[in-house]
Amino acid sequence: MNLQCPLPTTNKDSIRLGHGSGGEMTQQLLKEFIQPLFKNTWIDQAHDSATLPWDSDRLVFTTDSFVITPLFFPGGDIGKLAVYGTVNDLAMGGAEAKFLSCSLILEEGLPFNTLKKVLQSMAGAAEETGVKLVTGDTKVVERGKGDGIYINTSGVGSLLSNHPIDPSYIRPGDRILLSGDIGRHGITVMASREGLEFETALTSDCAPLNAAISALLQGGIPLHCLRDLTRGGLATALVELAETSGQAFELDEAQIPVCESVYGACEMLGLDPLYVANEGRFVAFIPAEYADQASAILREERVGASCAIIGKVTGKPSAQVILKNSLGCDRLLQRLPGEQLPRIC
Amino acid sequence: MKFVDEYRQSETIQKIATEIRKETTRPWTIMEVCGGQTHAIVKNRLDQLLPQVIELVHGPGCPVCVTPLETIDRAIAIAALPGVIFCSFGDMLRVPGSEYSLLDVKADGGDIRIIYSPLQAVKIAEDHPTKQVVFFAVGFETTAAANAMAATQAKQKSLKNFSLLVSQFLVTPAIASICAAKDTRVQGFLAAGHVCSITGYESYLPLAEKYQVPIVVTGFEPLDILEGLLMCLRQLEQGSYQVENQYLRAVERTGNRPAQVLLNNVFSVSAQCWRGLGEIPASGLALAEEFSDLDATKKFALPEIKPREQHQCISGAIMLGLKKPGDCPHFGTTCRPDHPLGAPMVSSEGACSAYHRYSQQVKTRESSMSSPNNQ
């Protein structure tokens, strides 16, 4: 009997979908191509936004691109994502977004009605978050060479906080505050894209986070680090932060909020909610003595009603994230390797 | 969530784990046959609750892992043909063929669609009458029943543009093959509950008798697995070898008769090659004569497939319970989920993927348990 398995040589000389998953392959792309070629102090910070030496070091700058199918989904659309995403990236650096650019790549044949709906949604999101969309660009690609509409937004803002909010300021003993239940966005979009129906209707968690961050800062919470949870989910974000900060985190699985519908869908599809995408959730690293106060402030905010303290920074030497389950057993979390694919059975 | 939460309750699980520790008097090696069970064990770190002398080894119950290289290459060749829509379950896409994976073909422009149910592929065929829609029908008896439903529906609708590339496996012959191997270390089995929900477990009775090995039909939640282990251990400690059913809420002795009729109508038992294990007689389900017009291998004239066999992955030894992922010199070094050397590191049901994803501590513990006797 042959007990061996063939060794494949997979073609890896071009971009694959996994390079956009936010996980291990995205990190490879960043580390092997983008950071070495664009090398400078600010890109090497590897944070959601860069604080620039301008206007007394209080100018913060970021950019993000948005590609999603379908363009409209329960609880949001590509226009909202494009504004909230960049506003949120600035908020994660402790900055208030002021001005956004809007670059549109449109596919030939996109109905004006669809474009108008997306732009109206962007305008509404800008008003809600207090930013101005002040400049932009439009390109059109041939039919079949795009998914209707791609949007890039860049944003500038100014720091609200007098102290840096950055992975390098994460300290042993810090508590990890999660702003709400995880996985709604990823499951909603997947269900919408694939025509899956669940017993309870799900809506995306897509939301602006600036008001919540502003409330925490105004409440006097010394935020050490913030990170919004997007592709790759909670687990990937925390693994990245552990590696960047050199700190070890311990999470209590029982404290991580997951709504019943997401839980059920993940069970059915063989997905792990810890790795499912979010668009309106963040984690905050806070000194232990401020944790309860921060939770109370966040609970008053629309996006933070189901917030929870999910873990702590242990001070152990290895930069790892350990999940403690209800049985008291440990599980080591890793980055999402490529894309999460639904299982066969 | 009903039928899930009650099987994950800490107090009950700890109680069963205590029973297991109390009743175990010597070393035992037990195989959980299904990859889903392996993932539940490693994800929930159930190994940490067990006495060190119990060794769990992982069986061939991952259809993604055991689909032969030649079939993967054939799937890739069909998916790359112009005018073809190739439908597959998600976790088949990453499995490496001789040169490429289906994900590579997709990235190069192949129309490959991830589906969640075989009936979706039938719907896609109805919606795209000018395309040839091929469904990659991979799985054990559980999935095969749904695949049979898709084939039946396509026949009823007289779809001329729908076909199946079949790679289906029967679990009982694989267990028999493991029992019969002269170097086997497996002393008891946790059989895959969802397969038995279709087949029942009567086919295990002669196996348990012939090889004097306890077989416990077991579910997939932490409590199921620990209960199954306890039932198996009690038999081992007492020297008995019965077939028992832990998964009472889903499995009956004779299984699901309507599903069996459906399977028998659409498929016939055939010899099947298992990736890493080789050919096992009467261990597969191929399309029956009346459904041969739905056979994608007959529909498409492909050039001869010559799978490139190289031998660095030890998946066969892992699936027979002879070795564990941590015993492989490539595990976690040259073989990782982002650069897999073999299917068990790719599939979400694969043992190596489970070990790599959930724990490095498992590797440490198992290394400490390994001895020259069990290599």
Side-chain angles (χ1 to χ4, degrees):
Chain A
M1 186 178 279
N2 170 27
L3 296 184
Q4 293 182 315
C5 177
L7 168 71
T9 51
T10 307
N11 176 12
K12 290 272 173 68
D13 59 359
S14 59
I15 287 288
R16 295 293 182 256
L17 272 179
H19 287 115
S21 66
E24 192 71 38
M25 288 173 75
T26 307
Q27 278 298 311
Q28 262 175 15
L29 194 66
L30 277 169
K31 291 204 168 125
E32 288 175 23
F33 289 89
I34 297 172
Q35 283 179 320
L37 292 171
F38 289 5
K39 189 163 180 59
N40 62 59
T41 311
W42 298 280
I43 201 167
D44 286 347
Q45 287 169 357
H47 196 22
D48 283 337
S49 57
T51 303
L52 302 177
W54 202 284
D55 184 26
S56 312
D57 294 353
R58 300 187 73 78
L59 179 68
V60 182
F61 182 44
T62 192
T63 190
D64 209 343
S65 297
F66 300 86
V67 296
I68 188 165
T69 309
L71 298 175
F72 301 90
F73 48 85
D77 57 74
I78 191 169
K80 273 187 180 155
L81 286 181
V83 173
Y84 293 161
T86 294
V87 166
N88 289 349
D89 278 350
L90 290 170
M92 294 304 112
E96 183 182 30
K98 298 283 191 192
F99 301 106
L100 259 57
S101 69
C102 165
S103 200
L104 302 170
I105 297 175
L106 309 176
E107 185 187 2
E108 193 178 22
L110 178 78
F112 278 122
N113 269 348
T114 307
L115 177 62
K116 195 172 171 189
K117 269 174 77 181
V118 170
L119 295 178
Q120 280 172 336
S121 181
M122 289 186 80
E127 193 175 336
E128 181 186 3
T129 53
V131 295
K132 303 286 181 204
L133 288 152
V134 294
T135 186
D137 179 48
T138 304
K139 296 283 187 293
V140 178
V141 294
E142 285 174 52
R143 189 188 277 270
K145 295 196 172 171
D147 285 327
I149 179 165
Y150 300 143
I151 304 176
N152 170 274
T153 53
S154 295
V156 290
S158 61
L159 280 181
L160 289 171
S161 165
N162 287 323
H163 57 85
I165 298 176
D166 183 275
S168 63
Y169 289 87
I170 295 174
R171 295 286 177 267
D174 278 359
R175 295 298 187 261
I176 304 169
L177 175 61
L178 170 65
S179 67
D181 63 324
I182 55 170
R184 283 173 186 266
H185 177 74
I187 296 294
T188 302
V189 170
M190 183 183 281
S192 203
R193 189 186 294 155
E194 309 295 345
L196 305 178
E197 287 177 16
F198 303 116
E199 276 183 29
T200 318
L202 260 179
T203 55
S204 166
D205 49 49
C206 166
L209 304 173
N210 56 332
I213 302 303
S214 180
L216 287 168
L217 288 169
Q218 281 171 10
I221 306 298
L223 299 170
H224 284 173
C225 182
L226 296 163
R227 177 62 53 98
D228 60 338
L229 312 176
T230 53
R231 301 157 305 161
L234 174 69
T236 304
L238 288 176
V239 170
E240 265 176 38
L241 287 175
E243 288 176 4
T244 317
S245 66
Q247 299 287 345
F249 309 154
E250 187 178 283
L251 307 181
D252 181 354
E253 189 173 28
Q255 298 306 315
I256 299 173
V258 182
C259 79
E260 187 88 344
S261 302
V262 168
Y263 183 42
C266 285
E267 283 298 317
M268 194 178 87
L269 298 169
L271 305 176
D272 187 338
L274 294 174
Y275 291 89
V276 175
N278 308 270
E279 282 295 343
R281 297 288 182 259
F282 68 92
V283 284
F285 289 75
I286 298 162
E289 61 272 29
Y290 289 93
D292 289 340
Q293 191 189 339
S295 301
I297 293 171
L298 197 50
R299 226 166 269 131
E300 295 300 311
E301 296 294 316
R302 184 170 65 88
V303 298
S306 58
C307 72
I309 303 286
I310 59 165
K312 63 184 178 189
V313 181
T314 62
K316 287 178 185 163
S318 54
Q320 289 182 332
V321 184
I322 300 287
L323 182 77
K324 238 181 205 331
N325 68 17
S326 61
L327 309 175
C329 301
D330 294 342
R331 169 182 156 197
L332 182 72
L333 296 187
Q334 303 187 28
R335 277 198 185 90
L336 183 65
E339 290 176 278
Q340 274 212 110
L341 296 173
R343 70 177 173 209
I344 188 167
C345 57
Chain B
M1 193 162 59
K2 190 149 174 59
F3 298 122
V4 174
D5 291 340
E6 56 266 53
Y7 299 98
R8 295 181 184 177
Q9 280 168 1
S10 175
E11 199 179 314
T12 327
I13 288 170
Q14 295 288 1
K15 203 171 134 195
I16 303 278
T18 306
E19 287 288 301
I20 290 174
R21 287 193 294 270
K22 208 162 65 187
E23 300 199 22
T24 306
T25 63
R26 56 205 142 126
W28 297 111
T29 302
I30 297 170
M31 171 179 278
E32 81 279 356
V33 173
C34 174
Q37 291 168 328
T38 305
H39 268 251
I41 289 164
V42 187
K43 181 177 177 183
N44 294 289
R45 302 309 316 275
L46 300 181
D47 54 301
Q48 293 178 358
L49 302 176
L50 300 176
Q52 290 273 326
V53 291
I54 295 178
E55 187 181 5
L56 297 179
V57 292
H58 320 301
C62 162
V64 179
C65 303
V66 296
T67 291
L69 180 65
E70 191 178 339
T71 309
I72 305 280
D73 284 348
R74 187 163 284 122
I76 287 166
I78 293 173
L81 291 173
V84 165
I85 300 175
F86 194 86
C87 300
S88 171
F89 295 114
D91 47 4
M92 286 307 298
L93 266 59
R94 262 204 292 263
V95 182
S98 292
E99 289 186 56
Y100 304 104
S101 67
L102 285 167
L103 267 188
D104 292 322
V105 177
K106 187 170 185 287
D108 291 339
D111 191 348
I112 298 179
R113 307 201 184 173
I114 295 174
I115 56 165
Y116 300 82
S117 141
L119 296 182
Q120 270 182 284
V122 179
K123 177 78 171 47
I124 290 171
E126 280 186 285
D127 293 345
H128 297 82
T130 61
K131 302 269 190 179
Q132 282 295 329
V133 175
V134 182
F135 168 53
F136 201 0
V138 173
F140 292 106
E141 292 91 330
T142 330
T143 325
N147 298 347
M149 182 87 80
T152 308
Q153 210 179 77
K155 264 281 205 230
Q156 283 165 353
K157 291 174 187 282
S158 303
L159 292 177
K160 299 292 175 213
N161 65 329
F162 179 83
S163 57
L164 300 100
L165 178 62
V166 175
S167 179
Q168 296 174 146
F169 305 85
L170 298 172
V171 174
T172 311
I175 296 183
S177 164
I178 292 166
C179 290
K182 63 178 186 304
D183 50 355
T184 189
R185 300 168 52 229
V186 181
Q187 295 164 296
F189 288 93
L190 305 187
H194 55 7
V195 166
C196 296
S197 70
I198 301 289
T199 62
Y201 52 85
E202 286 180 333
S203 63
Y204 295 145
L205 300 174
L207 275 185
E209 184 66 31
K210 179 175 178 185
Y211 296 104
Q212 304 197 346
V213 63
I215 301 175
V216 180
V217 177
T218 303
F220 301 87
E221 294 302 328
L223 184 58
D224 291 322
I225 290 166
L226 290 187
E227 270 182 3
L229 270 174
L230 180 59
M231 289 161 80
C232 193
L233 275 166
R234 281 184 175 150
Q235 287 201 51
L236 287 166
E237 292 281 346
Q238 290 160 11
S240 68
Y241 38 87
Q242 309 294 320
V243 178
E244 288 185 285
N245 181 14
Q246 178 278 330
Y247 206 29
L248 287 166
R249 67 186 182 279
V251 173
E252 291 178 15
R253 183 186 171 103
T254 53
N256 181 333
R257 292 287 193 205
Q260 290 165 15
V261 169
L262 190 62
L263 278 174
N264 291 335
N265 283 343
V266 178
F267 301 117
S268 56
V269 174
S270 62
Q272 176 69 48
C273 183
W274 297 55
R275 190 174 190 176
L277 300 182
E279 187 171 299
I280 302 176
S283 70
L285 286 173
L287 281 164
E289 189 56 39
E290 308 87 90
F291 284 81
S292 60
D293 56 324
L294 296 184
D295 188 342
T297 61
K298 292 179 180 156
K299 193 171 224 175
F300 298 95
L302 297 172
E304 192 188 351
I305 303 286
K306 290 182 181 166
R308 284 197 302 131
E309 298 277 0
Q310 297 183 51
H311 305 291
Q312 291 190 34
C313 170
I314 61 163
S315 68
I318 290 171
M319 289 186 288
L320 284 177
L322 300 174
K323 291 196 175 185
K324 295 179 76 173
D327 297 329
C328 175
H330 304 289
F331 178 80
T333 54
T334 50
C335 185
R336 298 164 49 87
D338 56 337
H339 183 268
L341 297 187
M345 186 56 98
V346 181
S347 160
S348 59
E349 304 286 313
C352 299
S353 152
Y355 271 51
H356 194 275
R357 188 184 309 176
Y358 295 123
S359 167
Q360 288 176 352
Q361 292 96 317
V362 170
K363 187 182 171 191
T364 312
R365 177 172 182 253
E366 118 200 344
S367 301
S368 69
M369 287 166 61
S370 296
S371 71
N373 297 335
N374 58 26
Q375 297 297 299

